Amino acid sequence: MASASGEAALEAWVACDPQGYVLAEGQIRRCFPGIVSHLLEHTPACDLEGVRALFSPEGVPGAGNPVFMQLLRPRDGTVHFLHFWKAFAEVSCMCGAAPAGGLGAEVETLR
């Protein structure tokens, strides 16, 4: 499952058409539907409404950005791949996926 989650994060990242390991902050919001699709496809424990709440500003009382956008920690108008990967993994866990193990856990420890 951890490998599938890592692959899903990478597939979702590539589908957003990044410039190497960074993506423009404004571009990421247009990718939300694809990211949600990858989450649902590779994380069967996730339900559509739960995932949508994490990608919707209405899911965060008093905040302007959805939970996923906050987890991305954009800096200077860009999102780094490692933050994307971590946010993707955290959202997967929030909707019931098993925590990452193997290489994903080792990278998380190093980060």
Side-chain angles (χ1 to χ4, degrees), residues 2 28 40 43 45 55 57 63-65 74-75 77 81 89:
I28 195 80
L40 294 172
T43 312
F55 285 81
N65 282 325
R75 183 176 294 159
F81 171 70

Side-chain angles (χ1 to χ4, degrees), residues 2-14 34-35 38-39 41-43 84 88 92:
S3 174
S5 177
E7 289 174 22
L10 184 56
E11 289 172 9
W13 176 258
V14 171
I35 296 167
H38 279 89
L39 273 166
E41 181 180 328
H42 293 281
T43 312
F84 179 88
F88 192 95
S92 293

